[in-house]
Amino acid sequence: AQSVAQPEDQVNVAEGNPLTVKCTYSVSGNPYLFWYVQYPNRGLQFLLKYITGDNLVKGSYGFEAEFNKSQTSFHLKKPSALVSDSALYFCAIWGTGFQKLVFGTGTRLLVSP
Amino acid sequence: NAGVTQTPKFRVLKTGQSMTLLCAQDMNHEYMYWYRQDPGMGLRLIHYSVGEGTTAKGEVPDGYNVSRLKKQNFLLGLESAAPSQTSVYFCASSNRGGRTGANVLTFGAGSRLTVL
C-alpha cells in the first residue's frame, strides 16, 4: 500500500533563510504526490503536486518541491522563509485506485523573526 | 463560492450520546471524505464515498457510520460517542479519481468534537 513519512515533527528556521520540509514515500508504481498546508484553526489548503514530468514542481506562495525517485523523496522547499509561512505541512499520496488520499503525520514549521 | 461547509463547528457530547456531522459541497464533486485529525497522527481517513449512494471504510471506521443520500451531502454519525472520538473532523471533496492522479481535495474548515 502507498504511504508517506514525514520524519520531522517540527522545523525551525529564521525569516529570510531557506527552508526544507522532508517527505519520503513508498509506492509500487508511479507516485502521485501532494503537499498541503494548514494554518491555525483552518482546513487544509493545496500547495502543489507532482504527477509526472519535471522533478522540480512549483506551487503556491513561493513554495516548490523536488521529486527524487532514487531517494523516494518529495521535499518541500522555499528559498526565503516568511514568518507567515508558519503552519502545519502535510505530504500526501494517492492510494490504490485513486480513491483515497493518504497523508503523512505532518510537520510544524516555525519561522522566527 | 462556499466550497465545502461543515456543521456544526464545535460540539461537546457526553459519553454515549449520538450526533451527526454534516458536510455539504457545492462543486458537484463525485468523491467525498471524512478525516479525523489528532496530534502526532496526522489525518486519518474514517470513511469515504465515490458517488451518491455509495460509501466505503477508511483506516479508522469503527464507531462511525456515514451516508451519502445526495451527491452534495456526506453525513458522519456517531451512534454512541466515546472519549476516544474527541478530535477535529474534516470533510473534503474532489472530482472523480483517475489515472492522472491529479485530483486536488478541497477541505472544509473542520468540526471540533469533545466527548466527556
Side-chain angles (χ1 to χ4, degrees):
Chain A
Q2 288 85 341
S3 65
V4 288
Q6 295 182 243
E8 303 156 316
D9 290 336
Q10 183 165 309
V11 170
N12 297 308
V13 65
E15 188 173 34
N17 284 358
L19 69 88
T20 299
V21 182
K22 296 179 180 178
C23 173
T24 58
Y25 67 88
S26 174
V27 67
S28 55
N30 295 324
Y32 300 98
L33 295 157
F34 294 74
W35 278 101
Y36 284 79
V37 60
Q38 184 182 29
Y39 297 102
N41 301 313
R42 302 284 295 277
L44 277 71
Q45 299 175 29
F46 168 73
L47 269 183
L48 52 79
K49 62 186 176 185
Y50 172 83
I51 304 301
T52 186
D54 290 340
N55 290 340
L56 187 64
V57 179
K58 294 190 182 297
S60 307
Y61 313 122
F63 283 92
E64 57 192 26
E66 186 172 10
F67 173 71
N68 188 315
K69 189 173 184 177
S70 63
Q71 296 185 4
T72 62
S73 67
F74 188 55
H75 299 334
L76 181 69
K77 300 182 179 186
K78 187 174 183 181
S80 179
L82 299 172
V83 172
S84 58
D85 293 330
S86 298
L88 192 54
Y89 290 82
F90 290 95
C91 183
I93 188 169
W94 275 108
T96 303
F98 303 102
Q99 293 185 348
K100 299 180 288 185
L101 193 62
V102 178
F103 287 86
T105 52
T107 298
R108 186 167 301 281
L109 174 66
L110 289 178
V111 182
S112 57
Chain B
N1 196 18
V4 177
T5 303
Q6 294 181 229
T7 53
K9 289 184 169 51
F10 302 94
R11 185 74 186 268
V12 178
L13 287 178
K14 295 181 179 178
T15 297
Q17 287 184 319
S18 63
M19 74 158 296
T20 300
L21 297 175
L22 171 63
C23 177
Q25 53 96 2
D26 61 1
M27 297 168 286
N28 201 35
H29 283 168
E30 289 288 337
Y31 290 10
M32 296 188 74
Y33 309 84
W34 276 107
Y35 288 91
R36 61 177 288 174
Q37 182 178 21
D38 302 289
M41 305 194 75
L43 270 75
R44 293 180 292 169
L45 184 63
I46 305 171
H47 286 280
Y48 65 101
S49 168
V50 298
E52 182 178 318
T54 73
T55 62
K57 294 180 179 180
E59 300 173 71
V60 288
D62 293 343
Y64 304 95
N65 56 75
V66 288
S67 64
R68 183 105 182 262
L69 298 180
K70 294 183 178 180
K71 185 177 183 179
Q72 64 267 33
N73 295 339
F74 195 30
L75 278 63
L76 178 71
L78 285 71
E79 291 186 347
S80 180
S84 60
Q85 295 177 302
T86 294
S87 187
V88 181
Y89 293 84
F90 286 98
C91 178
S93 68
S94 76
N95 285 320
R96 182 189 301 273
R99 291 201 173 275
T100 65
N103 296 334
V104 172
L105 266 61
T106 300
F107 281 83
S111 298
R112 185 175 295 274
L113 176 65
T114 301
V115 183
L116 302 176

